[in-house]
Amino acid sequence: MKKLFSLFLVFSLIFALAACSSTPAAAPTDAPTEAATDAPTEAPTDEPTAEPASAGSDVAAKTKLVVGTSADFPPYEYYDGDKIVGVEVEMMEKIAEKLGMEFELVDMSFDTIIAAVTSGKVDIGMSGFTVTEERKQNVNFSVSYIKAKQSIVVPEGSPIATVDDLYTEGATYAVGVQNSTTGDLYITEDVETKGLKLDIQRFTKYPDIIAALKSGKLECAIIDDQVAKAFVEENPELHLLDTAYADEDYALCMSKDNTELLAQIDKALEEMIADGTMQAIIDKYIK
Ligand code: ARG
């Protein structure tokens, strides 16, 4: 009897753990998974439904993709109520459909996604990832599906009118970036190599950058163009400069061990690009 009771306890604990760690899923799932947590939980030993995401795992045997994202990036991935929606979310819905798989989104901070991909905590990083040579050393990128630019957002009435103003001698502007994004990497490199005096402030999530711009704590922010546009539309006291800072391509990233998944994702994406599905999704969100 005692044994039965402790078994019951173990199962309740497993269930409670799974329930606590569940994150908004874009596709309905019928089994809670302890793989989809931002912070690793101690996995109960004989959890029957546990199916941790693991890089290099056999794609054919997998039924669910765990996708790491930073859902602070409208129109690509953002919250509508408690649901994560956006261009890349719809794109992933279509990809998963083509692969005959479910997928589950895990909202995490942007600067932890690549490590989550390389360690196998998530199968895919989907977060408006710009393809860069440095990142390619650690992860594989899919074919790219969106072109973007880094751009600059300032409060209305700002003395900063062009990108060049950040580069004038003696400029000490407080510049906000999301930690580890290309905006961060480019400006940090320029400050280091060109001896700029800018005060770079790094944030984990974009809404905090927007709040800091509005409160005057930041004098500008470097944000991907469509995302900047979305935030400026919501915040009329902010303004988007016309001059772009850098051109980029977005792609999904995966573990270097998972070449089979990469091939499948590329095939799906190539079909979606060729038959106009991708453009239709983009047009739905970006006017
Ligand atoms: N495109 C930029 C980069 O790859 C920013 C991406 C930020 N994405 C996000 N979901 N917050 O570094």
Side-chain angles (χ1 to χ4, degrees):
M1 186 62 197
K2 205 167 154 218
K3 203 167 168 199
L4 207 73
F5 183 66
S6 40
L7 206 68
F8 171 76
L9 262 185
V10 167
F11 271 103
S12 331
L13 191 70
I14 290 166
F15 190 74
L17 265 179
C20 290
S21 67
S22 77
T23 43
T29 57
D30 43 21
T33 169
E34 46 87 19
T37 55
D38 209 345
T41 43
E42 269 300 294
T45 45
D46 54 354
E47 223 276 47
T49 56
E51 188 212 317
S54 64
S57 56
D58 183 4
V59 184
K62 269 177 99 71
T63 56
K64 191 202 279 175
L65 294 169
V66 181
V67 179
T69 194
S70 175
D72 60 347
F73 208 59
Y76 301 110
E77 46 265 330
Y78 59 99
Y79 281 92
D80 181 7
D82 59 359
K83 206 171 174 284
I84 302 174
V85 298
V87 173
E88 287 187 301
V89 179
E90 278 201 34
M91 178 187 88
M92 185 51 70
E93 262 162 34
K94 287 275 184 309
I95 293 175
E97 211 174 275
K98 281 178 182 282
L99 267 54
M101 285 187 181
E102 305 267 0
F103 74 99
E104 178 160 8
L105 294 177
V106 186
D107 186 14
M108 47 210 303
S109 45
F110 181 77
D111 56 3
T112 63
I113 300 176
I114 294 216
V117 168
T118 56
S119 69
K121 201 170 133 194
V122 302
D123 297 302
I124 299 176
M126 179 191 84
S127 214
F129 267 107
T130 301
V131 179
T132 71
E133 289 310 314
E134 293 74 28
R135 289 175 180 165
K136 275 192 198 166
Q137 318 251 308
N138 297 310
V139 288
N140 279 337
F141 279 106
S142 69
V143 293
S144 61
Y145 42 81
I146 283 165
K147 293 216 168 296
K149 295 175 196 303
Q150 290 299 311
S151 51
I152 310 229
V153 177
V154 294
E156 203 65 76
S158 164
I160 305 168
T162 71
V163 178
D164 292 343
D165 290 338
L166 297 182
Y167 288 80
T168 51
E169 226 191 299
T172 56
Y173 297 116
V175 184
V177 290
Q178 185 174 43
N179 198 21
S180 297
T181 55
T182 45
D184 179 11
L185 305 178
Y186 301 153
I187 197 77
T188 301
E189 191 182 333
D190 284 347
V191 163
E192 281 165 8
T193 59
K194 299 186 173 139
L196 306 180
K197 299 276 175 292
L198 299 169
D199 166 22
I200 303 174
Q201 298 189 19
R202 297 180 180 83
F203 293 74
T204 304
K205 290 277 178 183
Y206 278 109
D208 296 330
I209 297 185
I210 302 305
L213 274 173
K214 285 165 55 172
S215 72
K217 189 168 172 269
L218 287 176
E219 291 167 282
C220 71
I222 304 176
I223 307 181
D224 297 41
D225 55 349
Q226 293 303 333
V227 180
K229 242 188 231 171
F231 282 126
V232 168
E233 256 165 42
E234 296 261 298
N235 299 279
E237 60 274 65
L238 301 180
H239 176 70
L240 176 62
L241 300 190
D242 301 331
T243 47
Y245 187 62
D247 293 312
E248 315 193 310
D249 291 305
Y250 290 170
L252 298 173
C253 61
M254 277 153 274
S255 157
K256 286 206 180 257
D257 300 329
N258 219 343
T259 49
E260 197 187 331
L261 179 63
L262 177 70
Q264 292 192 15
I265 299 266
D266 273 352
K267 182 169 175 285
L269 272 172
E270 271 156 6
E271 284 169 15
M272 288 164 60
I273 292 167
D275 71 9
T277 306
M278 192 63 218
Q279 194 57 48
I281 297 173
I282 295 172
D283 292 346
K284 193 171 146 189
Y285 289 87
I286 301 174
K287 302 290 167 212

